[in-house]
Amino acid sequence: MFRLFQRTRLTAVAASALLLFGAAACGSDEGGDAAAPSADDSPRKGAYPVTLDHKYGATTLKAEPQRIVTVGLSDQDAVLALGKVPVGTTEWFGEFKGAIGPWAEKALGDKPRPTVLHDDGTGPQVEKIASLRPDLILALYSGLTKDQYRTLSKIAPVVAQPKDGPDWGISWQDQTAQVGKALGKSEEAAELVAKTEKHINDAAAAHPEFKGRTAVMATPYEGMYVYGSQDNRSRVLNGLGFQLPAGLDKVVGDAFGANISKERTDLLDTDAAVWIVADPDKDAKKLHANPLYGKLDVVEEGREVMVKESSHFGSAISFVTPLSIPYTVDRLVPMLSAAVDGKTDTKVVHPAS
């Protein structure tokens, strides 16, 4: 599952990924218009003690955490956006120093980078985490098991993924809210969510042609892997006005995504199909060679969006946090607009950065 999930950051969670980096020619800069850390890093008065519910019960924090380790693969962004820097982060995309994406560099500033932890599918590096002396371990965007939770809880208080919904299925809004609560900054977290939602809503308003259209995100992992409604990638599409294809969640089940059978290739015949791939040209040719997929209208009418997983944009599209979303939206929207313009000869251009 972890490798599948790695391809989700690099092809899609458990299948592929989505990245990014900022350049003026591509839209917003590295930090986009995401909020920078507050000048006042102190928690709200009366914020502690605070109790956070999760999949394995409830965790109470008696005081403001000072040494935070993030086991959740994207949890660090909300921590950074709310004014703190984790002492340890878990690597998702290997090319980022400190596991801090380019979209989060502005929030990091000149502060020391976190120590990077690795999870090859066997679970968190317990000894290395213990050596960092954390007073809070965040595992919100994760697939933490009960045994792993118990082990980590012997080191420091742990806030695991939600009890409702699939592993790696927490919405970016809830993730931000939970981090805000843990840091004694619930109001700031709510403001950050509202600002990020506005960025999405403004893009949707500027492109009324998206409303009511169908779209899906997928990756060619062990065939064809699609993301359901409980995945943050799909939630961004929904926020922009798109609908997921009917019957998608029935196929995906109670997970964030799943491989589809040949008989359900029709789920990809949407107004826009966003593919997270290793090589846009080569993978498009491979997909089009599939006799079932290659003959769909989405292919013949040029409505595909190919996102290179190893680009910074490719990473960002899978990360889905208040720091990465503005960067993603500014690059994805022009591609979606080209895909649904009704012209078969319009080329969907991947951003240069």
Side-chain angles (χ1 to χ4, degrees):
M1 171 59 70
F2 181 78
R3 295 304 300 175
L4 172 64
F5 194 94
Q6 260 192 330
R7 282 204 58 161
T8 220
R9 322 165 239 202
L10 299 174
T11 292
V13 162
S16 163
L18 309 129
L19 301 76
L20 108 160
F21 194 126
C26 296
S28 60
D29 61 12
E30 290 180 2
D33 63 357
S38 169
D40 180 8
D41 289 338
S42 60
R44 296 283 178 174
K45 184 177 181 180
Y48 300 98
V50 62
T51 299
L52 296 97
D53 297 325
H54 52 78
K55 185 174 183 177
Y56 303 118
T59 297
T60 298
L61 303 178
K62 297 180 180 179
E64 177 189 4
Q66 301 297 327
R67 298 183 61 81
I68 302 167
V69 167
T70 59
V71 169
L73 297 178
S74 62
D75 292 351
Q76 63 267 41
D77 273 16
V79 177
L80 287 166
L82 292 173
K84 282 190 176 295
V85 178
V87 294
T89 53
T90 299
E91 180 182 82
W92 187 356
F93 308 104
E95 70 268 31
F96 302 141
K97 295 180 179 179
I100 303 298
W103 53 86
E105 286 289 343
K106 185 176 180 179
L108 176 66
D110 59 359
K111 298 176 183 177
R113 292 182 184 275
T115 295
V116 176
L117 306 164
H118 303 276
D119 183 346
D120 60 4
T122 60
Q125 291 180 293
V126 175
E127 292 184 2
K128 193 168 183 179
I129 291 173
S131 72
L132 294 174
R133 298 178 290 107
D135 52 13
L136 173 63
I137 299 172
L138 292 173
L140 296 166
Y141 189 61
S142 80
L144 199 70
T145 67
K146 191 169 186 178
D147 285 343
Q148 291 167 352
Y149 169 76
R150 287 171 173 168
T151 298
L152 292 177
S153 294
K154 295 176 182 178
I155 300 172
V158 180
V159 181
Q161 65 268 38
K163 60 182 178 181
D164 299 321
D167 291 347
W168 294 291
I170 187 171
S171 71
W172 65 268
Q173 294 96 328
D174 288 346
Q175 178 188 39
T176 305
Q178 282 285 78
V179 173
K181 193 173 181 181
L183 299 185
K185 291 189 171 186
S186 290
E187 290 184 20
E188 290 88 340
E191 292 172 359
L192 180 60
V193 167
K195 182 176 181 178
T196 307
E197 288 181 334
K198 184 178 185 302
H199 195 100
I200 298 173
N201 293 338
D202 287 349
H207 291 272
E209 70 272 20
F210 294 167
K211 188 174 183 180
R213 296 287 188 92
T214 57
V216 65
M217 281 207 186
T219 185
Y221 173 81
E222 295 184 350
M224 295 183 180
Y225 189 98
V226 296
Y227 296 100
S229 64
Q230 296 191 82
D231 182 82
N232 278 325
R233 281 158 282 235
S234 294
R235 290 174 178 131
V236 170
L237 288 177
N238 288 152
L240 290 171
F242 289 95
Q243 298 177 356
L244 300 182
L248 177 63
D249 276 349
K250 185 176 181 180
V251 172
V252 170
D254 59 358
F256 63 81
N259 286 100
I260 58 174
S261 65
K262 294 180 180 179
E263 292 74 20
R264 292 317 315 266
T265 305
D266 62 290
L267 290 171
L268 297 163
D269 201 14
T270 50
D271 292 308
V274 182
W275 285 94
I276 304 165
V277 297
D279 186 302
D281 292 330
K282 291 182 179 179
D283 283 301
K285 290 179 181 179
K286 291 178 183 178
L287 288 166
H288 297 170
N290 182 309
L292 294 176
Y293 177 74
K295 294 181 180 180
L296 295 178
D297 289 343
V298 69
V299 176
E300 294 185 347
E301 296 179 7
R303 293 189 256 114
E304 295 171 295
V305 174
M306 297 288 173
V307 178
K308 187 175 182 179
E309 64 182 8
S310 62
S311 67
H312 291 128
F313 171 43
S315 295
I317 201 171
S318 286
F319 228 75
V320 196
T321 67
L323 293 181
S324 72
I325 286 173
Y327 185 102
T328 296
V329 166
D330 291 352
R331 287 154 180 75
L332 180 61
V333 164
M335 299 177 79
L336 290 169
S337 182
V340 303
D341 71 352
K343 301 175 182 178
T344 59
D345 59 346
T346 301
K347 187 174 181 179
V348 180
V349 181
H350 193 285
S353 61

